[in-house]
Amino acid sequence: MARRWAKLLVRKFEVMQSSPWLRPFAKYIAHPALWSLNRRSVALAVAAGMIGGLIPGPFQMLTAGILAVMVRCNFPIALVGTLYSNPLTIVPLYLVAYKLGVLVSPAHAAHRLTAPPDFDWLHLWDSTVALAHWAWNLGTPLFVGVPLLALILAVAGYFITLFGWSLHLRLEWRARKKARLAREAASAQQKNRE
């Protein structure tokens, strides 16, 4: 299923390359390593997505895409990997980052953590500015904690992907072996009956 999805994506990308918006970047994102599905490429793409997901604002996918091009890993998976941070999860992620920053920089431990402002979807710009102002006032612990959390998530995502890929292969090999043994047993029974 994943290979079919990847082939469909590659075909769509080939069509998108004719777009005037992508033409200047086509030589960078047309590299075959950016579209391959192998253990290393996918694990690095997950790590790039984890790093990019904690970048504030609309630069998440851009950061993940640049990282994917730099380390030559799966481009679409790096972009999709940023989606773990969204309007529902970004505040808890930043609170965890703040707590990590306080642990690493204990001089700022006395700084009191205030509740984030209420987000009003009817006044999106004002709510975003208020949230950014709240984050800016958190200071050093947040700015130390966000890269630290991104690094932790990237390393964890990389190794979890490698482990999951290996586990999937082992289970698939075991299922193939079991099916082969069942076919051999059925074939032996067939020969015994004859």
Side-chain angles (χ1 to χ4, degrees), residues 17-186:
Q17 277 182 318
S18 62
S19 164
W21 292 96
L22 286 180
R23 203 171 294 130
F25 308 106
K27 68 179 180 179
Y28 300 109
I29 57 178
H31 194 280
L34 299 177
W35 301 92
S36 66
L37 278 173
N38 60 52
R39 186 183 337 203
R40 179 193 166 276
S41 179
V42 171
L44 283 173
V46 168
M50 293 290 127
I51 290 171
L54 283 179
I55 303 294
F59 303 109
Q60 295 176 337
M61 287 192 177
L62 179 65
T63 303
I66 290 171
L67 286 172
V69 169
M70 287 172 53
V71 298
R72 300 274 194 241
C73 63
N74 190 289
F75 188 76
I77 291 177
L79 298 183
V80 170
T82 63
L83 298 178
Y84 75 95
S85 69
N86 54 56
L88 296 175
T89 62
I90 195 69
V91 172
L93 284 168
Y94 272 46
L95 288 174
V96 169
Y98 177 82
K99 294 291 186 184
L100 279 173
V102 167
L103 287 173
V104 173
S105 57
H108 298 281
H111 191 275
R112 183 178 161 96
L113 180 62
T114 59
D118 291 332
F119 202 83
D120 184 7
W121 289 98
L122 296 176
H123 301 96
L124 190 61
W125 178 255
D126 294 335
S127 295
T128 304
V129 168
L131 189 62
H133 189 280
W134 171 77
W136 183 260
N137 287 334
L138 293 178
T140 305
L142 184 67
F143 296 116
V144 169
V146 168
L148 182 61
L149 181 61
L151 181 66
I152 290 169
L153 290 175
V155 169
Y158 179 81
F159 286 111
I160 289 170
T161 303
L162 287 179
F163 175 75
W165 193 290
S166 296
L167 181 65
H168 172 72
L169 287 178
R170 282 190 209 124
L171 292 174
E172 192 173 289
W173 288 337
R174 191 173 293 156
R176 285 181 184 175
K177 184 178 180 180
K178 188 183 268 188
R180 183 175 46 85
L181 291 174
R183 280 193 312 269
E184 289 173 359

